[in-house]
């Protein structure tokens, strides 16, 4: 569920825990589409038969597929009213902790770590986590940087 804050409150949002999104399933179709989009057709991702006897016991999502979903999850958790432009500015840190097997369900969580002024708007540093349902460790942790311009 998206929580929308007024632009006037942006500076005070540091430390806000936005919670978690709903779970989504990582399907083989999604993995194959990502492989096509990135030209990364490594067998551990796109060959279920071969991957079954590989190191993960089946095909896994690309780490960068999981990372790309942080944008989806962030957008599902947070919005800032009264802005004209929203920009994915970059990343400060990314760690791929656990592989995401095809068929797994994942969700995203976010905590706004810092809010800083930038010319014409604000930059949010957001500590993001992707959890694997039933997993003991997250799939990934990252600090995303997002800019909102008035």
């Amino acid at each position: 569920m998206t929580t929308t804050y007024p632009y006037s409150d942006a500076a005070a949002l540091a430390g806000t825990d936005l919670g978690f999104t709903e779970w989504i399933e990582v399907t083989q179709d999604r993995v194959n589409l990502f492989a096509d989009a990135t030209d990364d057709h490594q067998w551990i991702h796109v060959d279920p038969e071969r991957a079954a006897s590989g190191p993960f016991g089946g095909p896994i999502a690309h780490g960068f597929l999981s990372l790309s979903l942080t944008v989806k999850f962030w957008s599902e958790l947070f919005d800032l009213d009264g802005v004209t432009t929203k920009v994915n500015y970059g990343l400060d840190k990314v760690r791929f902790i656990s592989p995401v097997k095809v068929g797994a369900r994942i969700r995203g969580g976010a905590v706004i770590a810092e809010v800083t002024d930038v010319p014409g708007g604000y930059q949010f540093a957001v500590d993001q986590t992707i959890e694997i349902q039933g997993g003991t460790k997250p799939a990934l942790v990252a600090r995303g940087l997002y800019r909102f311009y008035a």
Side-chain angles (χ1 to χ4, degrees):
M1 181 169 136
T2 304
T3 302
T4 302
Y5 295 89
Y7 185 79
S8 59
D9 290 352
L13 293 175
T16 302
D17 184 340
L18 299 171
F20 284 89
T21 65
E22 298 295 321
W23 297 100
I24 64 165
E25 182 179 352
V26 177
T27 64
Q28 188 64 57
D29 285 344
R30 184 185 292 259
V31 171
N32 292 345
L33 285 168
F34 190 84
D36 290 343
T38 60
D39 287 330
D40 180 355
H41 294 93
Q42 188 178 171
W43 63 270
I44 62 172
H45 306 301
V46 298
D47 187 341
E49 285 185 27
R50 185 173 177 195
S53 60
F56 306 107
I60 60 168
H62 304 73
F64 283 102
L65 168 56
S66 298
L67 180 62
S68 71
L69 290 170
T70 61
V71 176
K72 168 189 171 39
F73 293 143
W74 163 242
S75 298
E76 288 179 8
L77 292 173
F78 178 84
D79 199 9
L80 199 59
D81 197 28
V83 299
T84 61
T85 307
K86 303 170 188 178
V87 177
N88 300 319
Y89 187 68
L91 299 160
D92 273 350
K93 182 179 180 180
V94 177
R95 297 292 182 270
F96 300 105
I97 310 298
S98 298
V100 176
K101 292 182 179 182
V102 169
R105 291 169 45 93
I106 61 173
R107 68 179 181 176
V111 176
I112 300 170
E114 300 173 8
V115 180
T116 54
D117 291 325
V118 295
Y122 291 100
Q123 178 171 295
F124 287 71
V126 182
D127 291 334
Q128 296 174 274
T129 303
I130 292 184
E131 292 186 341
I132 304 167
Q133 191 172 38
T136 58
K137 295 181 181 178
L140 73 82
V141 294
R143 177 165 281 193
L145 302 175
Y146 304 95
R147 289 192 172 179
F148 294 82
Y149 297 99

